Amino acid sequence: MADTGWTSCATSLKGVILDMCGVLYDSGEGDGVAIPGSVEAVRRLKASDLKLRFCTNETQAVREKFVAKLQRLGFDICISEVFSPAPAAVAVLRERGLRPHLLVYDALMPEFDGVDKSNPNCVVIGDAAEKFSYANMNEAFRVLIGLEKPTLFSLGKGKYYKETDGLKLDVGVYMKALEYACDVEAEVIGKPSATFFLSVLNDMALQPHEVMMIGDDLVNDVGGAQQVGMKGVQVRTGKYRPSDQQHPTVTADGTADHLAQAVDMILSRRGKP
Amino acid sequence: MASGRALKAVLIDLSGTLHIEDTAVPGAQDALSRLRQASVAIKFVTNTTKESKKNLLERLQRLNFDLKEKEIFTSLSAARTLLEKTKHRPLLLVEDSALEDFAGIDTSEPNAVVIGLAPDHFDYQTMNKAFRLILDGAPLFAIHKARYYKRKDGLALGPGPFVTALEYATDCKASVVGKPEKTFFTQALADLGCSPDEAVMIGDDARDDVGGAQSTGMLGILVRTGKYRQGDENKINPPPHMTCDTFPDAVEHILKNLL
């Protein structure tokens, strides 16, 4: 059942951030499938006076590729509205003058095209899937252990995700392996890191309390957003599990059956079309 | 062990205690022979994830040590003992050279995961397979959790990071079977028919050899060879029963004071 208490904040809302996989679409064969009502919900948000951004931990493709996929599914979306960990990592590397050794999915490499990778002084890992071999892990380990102060960046810290042929280990698992090997703590770039959400808010030119995050991942979407002062609403699609409602540390500000319902509740509360 | 209690068994570490790579610690062979003339049982105990007992035996025999295969107890033996007891069918992530220590163990339709050092098996697909088994309820057994080790071409990842990775993915805790775990020492003593307070352990690793043995109720003697670094004896509490320069000195102490 939809609870409606959380919509009281809708009147003072100035912007919305949407997670992508599990909220807009479900991944799978080919492009995957749009979640019913989500295409229309995005269109309604865009027609409203709310600012809209998209925020994903996708690191298996460059933004051009997965934005094109969403456009094929019917979504009105463009690259400049999408925030993902790789470009955020590039910004951090530039700011701190770091040269990365990359252990990421091949298709993600172009995001790092302009970055100096010679004589690396840090390691960046993403969801590298099949590239998480012993040899590649060892190479990353040797770069780290050879540094005076090992610096490890992880693009997200998920444990696993679901694909059509079963559960697959995510980047967080390999992040833990390198953390243990080198006795370091990784800096996480992407959800749920505060820096990541703040960079999106900065782009929207809005304050945290003026923005709501809607996602299917209780810890990374809802918890991450709440930690910087935003409202976090969970939808019961994607990786949502009923046990999320008894989570020990994160409680969503509100829930909805799916994105279409959440958007409908927000917009009708604001009394605008 | 209070003085006056009979000493029945001596456990001896291999690498760093009897030999360093392909060189025996001076006088270690003779010291071992002297110990054998006393009426104590002897067992050689070591953390290894890739060398079978046969490999270890051959190396020690080349260095002229007098020992038999059945006197060797390794972390691989401990894993095997555990599997036999719990009747699990393991997915074995160990190097091929270690597989012979698991000969005869049923590995069809695995319902447990045993993880040692297995660079050839630590690919994404096999890690996923192990992960799914553990999510389905299979226990995770780790030979040990070393972070890394030294290879000829430099440092290389040990089993520990991969064990930690699977623990994080599945929210479970691995059972470690090698030193310094209590069960490792009690299993090593099991067929000698003596209790921990009738045994002494000699080794070069303050935590894994001496600390582990002493928390099991044995005496521990630390030797200043192998990986020993000055001050290691202060790293454990209670401190070692005794710290000796070399294995022959440790044997001398046992023959004079503990028998």
Side-chain angles (χ1 to χ4, degrees):
Chain A
M1 290 314 297
D3 63 316
T4 53
W6 60 270
T7 57
S8 59
C9 70
T11 45
S12 59
L13 219 52
K14 292 185 177 165
V16 173
I17 302 175
L18 300 182
D19 173 41
M20 298 173 74
C21 184
V23 175
L24 302 184
Y25 70 104
D26 280 320
S27 66
E29 293 290 306
D31 287 342
V33 289
I35 291 170
S38 288
V39 170
E40 179 60 22
V42 169
R43 193 171 298 141
R44 290 184 68 196
L45 280 175
K46 285 209 160 175
S48 77
D49 56 351
L50 292 167
K51 287 186 180 176
L52 179 64
R53 296 290 185 275
F54 302 91
C55 201
T56 175
N57 267 6
E58 168 70 55
T59 60
Q60 284 210 348
V62 296
R63 278 176 303 170
E64 285 78 359
K65 281 273 163 58
F66 66 79
V67 168
K69 175 173 86 175
L70 282 153
Q71 288 167 343
R72 283 196 297 277
L73 291 172
F75 288 98
D76 176 8
I77 185 171
C78 65
I79 291 173
S80 61
E81 297 164 333
V82 175
F83 287 77
S84 66
V90 171
V92 171
L93 295 169
R94 289 231 163 89
E95 196 181 299
R96 287 161 57 177
L98 292 168
R99 301 177 305 276
H101 169 83
L102 298 173
L103 177 47
V104 300
Y105 210 65
D106 284 337
L108 191 72
M109 291 298 267
E111 296 269 21
F112 294 88
D113 270 352
V115 178
D116 180 6
K117 297 181 261 308
S118 62
N119 187 21
N121 55 9
C122 71
V123 168
V124 175
I125 64 166
D127 173 21
E130 285 73 24
K131 279 184 73 186
F132 279 133
S133 63
Y134 181 82
N136 286 340
M137 283 292 286
N138 213 31
E139 210 184 330
F141 160 70
R142 284 183 177 181
V143 170
L144 284 173
I145 205 80
L147 296 171
E148 198 179 322
K149 187 182 163 290
T151 305
L152 172 64
F153 295 101
S154 187
L155 307 181
K157 60 170 188 180
K159 294 182 173 188
Y160 54 88
Y161 51 86
K162 194 170 177 168
E163 283 202 342
T164 38
D165 58 341
L167 297 177
K168 298 276 178 73
L169 292 170
D170 200 355
V171 61
V173 175
Y174 289 88
M175 172 193 87
K176 282 285 166 193
L178 290 174
E179 283 186 340
Y180 178 78
C182 306
D183 243 329
V184 294
E185 199 174 320
E187 296 179 40
V188 177
I189 298 179
K191 297 180 285 188
S193 105
T195 336
F196 189 59
F197 283 107
L198 291 174
S199 71
V200 185
L201 290 171
N202 187 45
D203 184 67
M204 299 170 95
L206 292 177
Q207 296 301 309
H209 67 272
E210 301 170 320
V211 180
M212 175 182 288
M213 170 82 206
I214 303 176
D216 65 326
D217 187 318
L218 186 69
V219 173
N220 289 307
D221 295 328
V222 174
Q226 288 174 336
Q227 167 196 280
V228 297
M230 296 163 59
K231 291 269 187 266
V233 168
Q234 189 182 24
V235 287
R236 285 184 276 266
T237 51
K239 67 167 72 165
Y240 165 84
R241 293 190 308 177
S243 63
D244 288 346
Q245 271 155 345
Q246 287 95 45
H247 194 276
T249 54
V250 182
T251 308
D253 292 298
T255 55
D257 288 341
H258 38 67
L259 179 65
Q261 188 184 58
V263 168
D264 198 47
M265 288 160 79
I266 293 168
L267 294 182
S268 57
R269 182 81 185 205
R270 290 168 70 82
K272 286 166 193 167
Chain B
M1 183 180 56
S3 58
R5 237 185 279 182
L7 181 73
K8 289 188 180 165
V10 179
L11 303 189
I12 305 167
D13 173 51
L14 294 177
S15 174
T17 301
L18 289 187
H19 68 95
I20 288 119
E21 291 181 357
D22 286 324
T23 311
V25 167
Q29 299 96 329
D30 287 346
L32 180 59
S33 303
R34 281 202 299 284
L35 191 59
R36 284 199 184 280
Q37 282 156 25
S39 57
V40 287
I42 293 176
K43 206 145 232 194
F44 302 90
V45 292
T46 181
N47 266 2
T48 174
T49 59
K50 56 178 185 184
E51 289 179 295
S52 66
K53 284 199 245 185
K54 213 171 108 220
N55 291 344
L56 292 167
L57 180 72
E58 282 165 7
R59 174 194 288 164
L60 286 156
Q61 286 176 338
R62 272 202 307 278
L63 297 175
N64 295 317
F65 283 100
D66 166 27
L67 78 167
K68 298 182 193 67
E69 187 174 327
K70 67 172 200 295
E71 294 174 321
I72 300 176
F73 188 81
T74 75
S75 41
L76 293 171
S77 327
R80 184 188 176 111
T81 307
L82 188 64
L83 291 168
E84 283 171 342
K85 200 169 106 194
T86 59
K87 306 238 186 309
H88 278 108
R89 298 179 308 274
L91 171 70
L92 291 172
L93 302 187
V94 299
E95 264 188 32
D96 291 349
S97 58
L99 278 178
E100 65 180 69
D101 279 0
F102 293 94
I105 296 272
D106 183 6
T107 55
S108 62
E109 294 174 59
N111 59 5
V113 175
V114 173
I115 178 162
L117 179 63
D120 295 343
H121 297 297
F122 288 152
D123 56 87
Y124 188 61
Q125 210 181 350
T126 312
M127 285 290 285
N128 270 321
K129 194 171 161 190
F131 159 65
R132 291 178 195 173
L133 281 173
I134 299 164
L135 267 197
D136 285 344
L140 174 61
F141 300 123
I143 305 293
H144 62 74
K145 281 187 78 175
R147 288 175 162 78
Y148 51 85
Y149 68 106
K150 178 121 188 178
R151 224 162 54 178
K152 282 194 187 109
D153 63 342
L155 294 178
L157 289 169
F162 295 89
V163 174
T164 308
L166 289 172
E167 287 180 333
Y168 175 73
T170 57
D171 278 320
C172 83
K173 202 98 194 90
S175 308
V176 181
V177 299
K179 293 185 279 187
E181 296 300 310
K182 228 178 202 172
T183 44
F184 177 86
F185 292 101
T186 52
Q187 282 176 13
L189 291 175
D191 64 336
L192 300 179
C194 74
S195 58
D197 64 0
E198 298 169 316
V200 59
M201 167 82 209
I202 307 172
D204 66 323
D205 189 313
R207 285 202 184 92
D208 286 359
D209 293 328
V210 178
Q214 294 199 146
S215 56
T216 313
M218 302 168 60
L219 290 183
I221 299 180
L222 182 66
V223 290
R224 296 191 181 97
T225 51
K227 69 169 65 164
Y228 172 85
R229 293 286 170 272
Q230 202 178 349
D232 276 359
E233 53 269 58
N234 303 322
K235 283 185 182 165
I236 55 168
N237 188 20
H241 160 70
M242 183 87 198
T243 303
C244 297
D245 283 343
T246 63
F247 175 70
D249 294 333
V251 169
E252 220 45 50
H253 171 75
I254 291 171
L255 295 176
K256 266 199 192 135
N257 305 306
L258 297 179
L259 288 172

